[in-house]
Amino acid sequence: MALSRPALVALTALAPVSWGTTYAVTTEFLPADRPLFTALVRALPAGLLLLALARVLPRGSWWWKAAALGALNIGAFFPLLFLSAYRLPGGLAAVVGSAGPLFVAGLSALLLGQRPTARTLLTGVVAAFGVSLVVLRAAGALDALGLLAALGGTASMSAGVVLIQRWGRPEGAGPLALTAWQLTVGGLLISPLAFLAEGAPPALDGRAVGGYLYLALAGTAVAYWLWFRGIGRLSATQVTFLGPLSPLTAAVTGWAALGQALTPVQLVGMALALGATVAGQFVPRRPLRGTWARRAGDAGRDRAGDEGRDRAGDAGRGRADVTAAVPRR
């Protein structure tokens, strides 16, 4: 039975909401200053677990496509995300990440022939501005390397979103398999970086083990499965406009669980970002043109509606898109 669009959006939104709890879990449960080890523990075990459940390996050209997507969405994004978070002041990395819809709009125009509307661009600017009111604090000089890392992480995830939509879903493989491939590839790419930069794994107590289990299972395996599943049924713009829910969830979690105060300016920012997130779900979907339209047709992907997409998926429909960078996924 096909889900209604509101239900599908709500399920997909659980992914950035869960990512928004990562900061609290990291600061309260995990060893300090081990971002790459944390990224590795999140990605590789989750990928191997989903791979065992899916029991499907890539075929043909999907070997290199899965490697490319895993590198963009996980292998490059995770290290760049943590590097920017450690080097940039007061949440600036989250603001750069919240510009993901604008990156996706630009890449969609180049690779998919989908020109962004003025409404899409305006909504993206409002979302980024709202997030900035929530997370930005007074800070010192900007770090050039941190800013480049934040921009690179956002561009990496945005490119992964658009390429998934361009390539579609591989025949005989569902969202679970596609998620497993990307997490496994990403984890394998991160592992040498983690050991070279941070050395041997740290000693873990019960709290750290519990924190890592939460991040690997709920915050990665389940969250990324929901995210990629939503990508197969929603447009790239719709999915990336859910990204600001992550820093908003982080702010609410800090207030509710860690006793952090929320100022009136932050509340206004939340209202703006939430409004932009909702508005982003009503951005009209445009059909692909030219080469990509023919490729989508050859893959059996139907963009006319949820029910049509589900039927096309059963016949070997191609998959669609993903995300925006968010703080400390």
Side-chain angles (χ1 to χ4, degrees):
M1 180 178 178
L3 290 173
S4 66
R5 185 171 298 277
L8 180 60
V9 170
L11 282 175
T12 307
L14 291 177
V17 168
S18 72
W19 294 330
T21 65
T22 301
Y23 177 77
V25 173
T26 300
T27 57
E28 298 299 311
F29 293 91
L30 304 185
D33 301 325
R34 304 303 295 263
L36 290 175
F37 177 76
T38 298
L40 171 62
V41 172
R42 289 187 62 186
L44 189 56
L48 294 175
L49 173 62
L50 295 184
L51 193 62
L53 293 175
R55 302 177 65 182
V56 176
L57 292 176
R59 297 179 182 177
S61 65
W62 269 98
W63 280 103
W64 70 264
K65 289 179 181 178
L69 293 175
L72 289 170
N73 290 327
I74 306 296
F77 172 68
F78 274 13
L80 289 172
L81 172 70
F82 282 115
L83 178 61
S84 65
Y86 271 82
R87 298 185 70 97
L88 289 180
L92 183 57
V95 176
V96 176
S98 68
L102 300 177
F103 278 76
V104 168
L107 290 171
S108 294
L110 291 174
L111 299 179
L112 304 178
Q114 296 177 341
R115 295 181 180 177
T117 64
R119 177 181 174 182
T120 298
L121 297 177
L122 178 60
T123 306
V125 170
V126 171
F129 179 67
V131 170
S132 71
L133 295 181
V134 175
V135 301
L136 283 183
R137 302 287 188 275
L142 296 182
D143 182 89
L145 179 59
L147 185 58
L148 288 175
L151 290 170
T154 302
S156 177
M157 278 291 287
S158 299
V161 168
V162 176
L163 285 178
I164 288 178
Q165 192 159 44
R166 173 180 169 177
W167 290 336
R169 190 174 70 191
E171 183 177 358
L176 191 68
L178 189 59
T179 305
W181 301 343
Q182 294 181 70
L183 287 172
T184 302
V185 168
L188 291 174
L189 291 175
I190 293 170
S191 58
L193 295 177
F195 288 110
L196 286 174
E198 299 177 355
L204 303 179
D205 57 16
R207 288 172 60 84
V209 170
Y212 281 125
L213 284 175
Y214 170 80
L215 291 182
L217 296 177
T220 304
V222 175
Y224 272 97
W225 172 70
L226 289 173
W227 188 250
F228 289 121
R229 181 176 180 272
I231 281 167
R233 293 165 174 81
L234 300 170
S235 72
T237 302
Q238 287 176 301
V239 174
T240 53
F241 268 114
L242 297 175
L245 292 176
S246 182
L248 298 184
T249 301
V252 172
T253 302
W255 167 75
L258 305 180
Q260 298 173 354
L262 289 175
T263 67
V265 172
Q266 287 179 298
L267 295 176
V268 170
M270 285 184 178
L272 288 173
L274 286 174
T277 297
V278 173
Q281 306 311 309
F282 295 96
V283 173
R285 301 185 66 184
R286 294 186 173 187
L288 296 177
R289 297 195 299 258
T291 301
W292 309 137
R294 290 192 295 273
R295 288 185 180 180
D298 294 340
R301 178 169 55 195
D302 179 8
R303 295 176 174 272
D306 284 339
E307 186 173 345
R309 284 193 296 275
D310 288 337
R311 289 197 299 267
D314 294 338
R317 167 181 58 79
R319 280 190 47 101
D321 53 78
V322 195
T323 118
V326 292
R328 292 183 181 271
R329 282 187 189 172

